[in-house]
Amino acid sequence: MAAYGDSGLGLLGDPSRRAIFELLARRPCSVQELADALPISRPAVSQHLRVLREGGLVVSEAEGTRRIHRLDPAGVTALRAWLDGVWSDALTGFHKLAEAPSSVPDEPQEDSS
């Protein structure tokens, strides 16, 4: 998903959304189950779920009279691919830095004046 490259981890930047994401990673939940597990209201949970759904990280389906929310495997895969790319770039940069000759002397030079 191109959105991750544009906004980084903006979808998970909010602590409540991160907590919802982490709960849904353990198991699918209803809004009420999420609200019971968090110190936020049901309307706030619903708003965060909407943002996560629009961002492609969460899907929901009707189960009887309630909606059950779960992580969207395609969205999580895209997020992971983006993170793997960032991590790979960071490791490449670190490797280049570690392999480069040092331009700083190991010991400070004393002034002989």
Side-chain angles (χ1 to χ4, degrees), residues 94-105:
F94 178 73
H95 182 72
K96 285 179 182 176
L97 184 63
E99 295 287 319
S102 177
S103 61
V104 178

Side-chain angles (χ1 to χ4, degrees), residues 105-110:
D106 291 336
E107 295 182 27
Q109 302 280 331
E110 287 187 25

Side-chain angles (χ1 to χ4, degrees), residues 16 24 28 30 33 38 48 55-57 59 77 81-82 86 88 91-97 99 101 109-110:
S16 295
L24 292 177
S30 68
E33 290 169 323
L38 298 167
H48 288 299
L57 292 179
V59 293
T77 298
W82 179 79
V86 170
S88 178
L91 287 176
T92 299
F94 178 73
H95 182 72
K96 285 179 182 176
L97 184 63
E99 295 287 319
Q109 302 280 331
E110 287 187 25

